[in-house]
Amino acid sequence: MDYERSNMTKLLCGTLSLSVLLLAACFSTAIFLPSDNDANIAPVGSRSAPAEQRDPGSPSKEKMEAQFLADEFITEADVGCEMDFEIERERIDPGLLLYRQPQSRMAVEWFYSQITGDREVALAILDAASQFNVPPSLAFALAHRESLFKPDVKHTNVNGSIDRGLFQLNSNSFPKLREEDFYNPRTSAHYGLSHLHFCMKSAGNEIAALAMYNAGATKVQNNGTPQTTLNYISYIESYKSEIEEKFAVEVLAFYSTGAETNEKYLAKF
């Protein structure tokens, strides 16, 4: 009996000792560990340290954002004059992204060289499309409707102005260009797609932008778009769809993440 009482006493003492040690450990932790509200702790998952702690030699927020945009294949030149980064990144065309990728650029060049029958013309349009964030399929459909990809085309209008070159730039609209400039594929593509980019920004959608490109902003804004312009838009949209279908089979299929998504762009190389 005395033996059992002794064992119970030892067990009780051991339990009490362990409890005291645990309480002491908890008390020490509360005192010596920093609070969660300590201003020196950066939030979990934050992309940079608080400004007052950042190394003076570390990149600024603007530089970090610029690097992030570069990683996403978006640059100031790609977007054009207006820096709508979030919008442009969400809407970026898979053909543009493939053209900007070193691993797939040659495939895009090859495809559009077959479409135009002229590599110089294809590269001029692709470079300008990339600069102004115009989908290549739209850029090439517009050039086909305007000139059948022929840089030397010339058309005299009833008002005496002259449309020249790959994108049929009007002499009244571009008075500072020399005559030979109109027939240069790169110059024509640059100014033509720059103007289309402006029309898309102004109109807010592709159809209205094409109407403005063909008939002028005044007629479109006054609901005076002529039937010839509607036919013009229909032709371009139809030709654009043909290009996109062909591109999906001959190029995009080799880089796409799946047939259900052109929005997710590319598989990882």
Side-chain angles (χ1 to χ4, degrees):
M1 186 72 176
D2 292 337
Y3 175 75
E4 292 179 356
R5 185 177 297 127
S6 176
N7 286 342
M8 288 293 293
T9 301
K10 290 179 180 179
L11 180 60
L12 181 59
C13 290
T15 302
L16 289 173
S17 298
L18 180 60
S19 299
V20 170
L21 288 173
L22 289 174
L23 287 172
C26 292
F27 184 72
S28 299
T29 300
I31 292 176
F32 296 108
L33 285 183
S35 168
D36 287 341
N37 294 325
D38 195 318
N40 291 326
I41 297 178
V44 175
S46 65
R47 296 177 61 178
S48 61
E52 63 274 10
Q53 290 190 18
R54 188 177 297 133
D55 183 343
S58 64
S60 65
K61 179 176 181 290
E62 290 75 13
K63 289 183 179 179
M64 293 175 67
E65 289 178 349
Q67 182 59 50
F68 174 75
L69 293 169
D71 292 341
E72 292 289 316
F73 305 100
I74 300 292
T75 66
E76 181 174 358
D78 293 334
V79 176
C81 298
E82 299 186 32
M83 304 298 287
D84 298 332
F85 287 126
E86 294 299 332
I87 295 174
E88 298 293 352
R89 189 185 302 115
E90 291 175 3
R91 298 179 181 177
I92 188 170
D93 180 81
L96 284 180
L97 186 57
L98 284 169
Y99 183 63
R100 292 167 180 166
Q101 294 267 13
Q103 300 92 331
S104 51
R105 185 184 182 99
M106 289 296 295
V108 179
E109 291 179 0
W110 168 84
F111 176 83
Y112 281 107
S113 293
Q114 303 305 306
I115 294 290
T116 63
D118 188 319
R119 178 176 171 78
E120 181 184 359
V121 167
L123 293 181
I125 297 174
L126 283 170
D127 286 344
S130 181
Q131 180 179 357
F132 296 107
N133 260 359
V134 175
S137 56
L138 175 60
F140 280 84
L142 176 60
H144 186 266
R145 175 61 182 81
E146 291 288 353
S147 65
L148 296 177
F149 303 127
K150 298 177 181 178
D152 58 352
V153 173
K154 175 180 177 181
H155 174 74
T156 301
N157 300 302
V158 292
N159 64 356
S161 66
I162 302 173
D163 298 330
R164 299 184 179 96
L166 199 58
F167 283 86
Q168 290 292 278
L169 304 182
N170 184 266
S171 56
N172 289 345
S173 299
F174 299 93
K176 294 184 179 181
L177 291 181
R178 299 170 301 175
E179 183 171 353
E180 58 266 30
D181 293 333
F182 286 96
Y183 299 117
N184 183 307
R186 287 195 172 273
T187 302
S188 186
H190 175 86
Y191 283 100
L193 294 182
S194 172
H195 182 57
L196 179 62
H197 176 86
F198 168 78
C199 292
M200 292 174 74
K201 289 290 185 181
S202 301
N205 66 80
E206 185 174 301
I207 300 301
L210 290 172
M212 288 176 62
Y213 190 97
N214 179 253
T218 302
K219 286 184 179 180
V220 175
Q221 291 168 354
N222 294 333
N223 295 321
T225 306
Q227 182 63 44
T228 53
T229 296
L230 298 179
N231 296 339
Y232 169 93
I233 295 170
S234 177
Y235 180 97
I236 291 173
E237 288 296 313
S238 177
Y239 193 80
K240 175 192 169 189
S241 295
E242 291 179 17
I243 291 177
E244 289 174 343
E245 290 175 8
K246 190 176 179 66
F247 185 80
V249 173
E250 298 186 9
V251 180
L252 189 59
F254 295 96
Y255 301 97
S256 158
T257 55
E260 76 284 358
T261 173
N262 284 347
E263 296 282 325
K264 293 184 180 178
Y265 314 129
L266 305 173
K268 292 182 179 179
F269 290 100

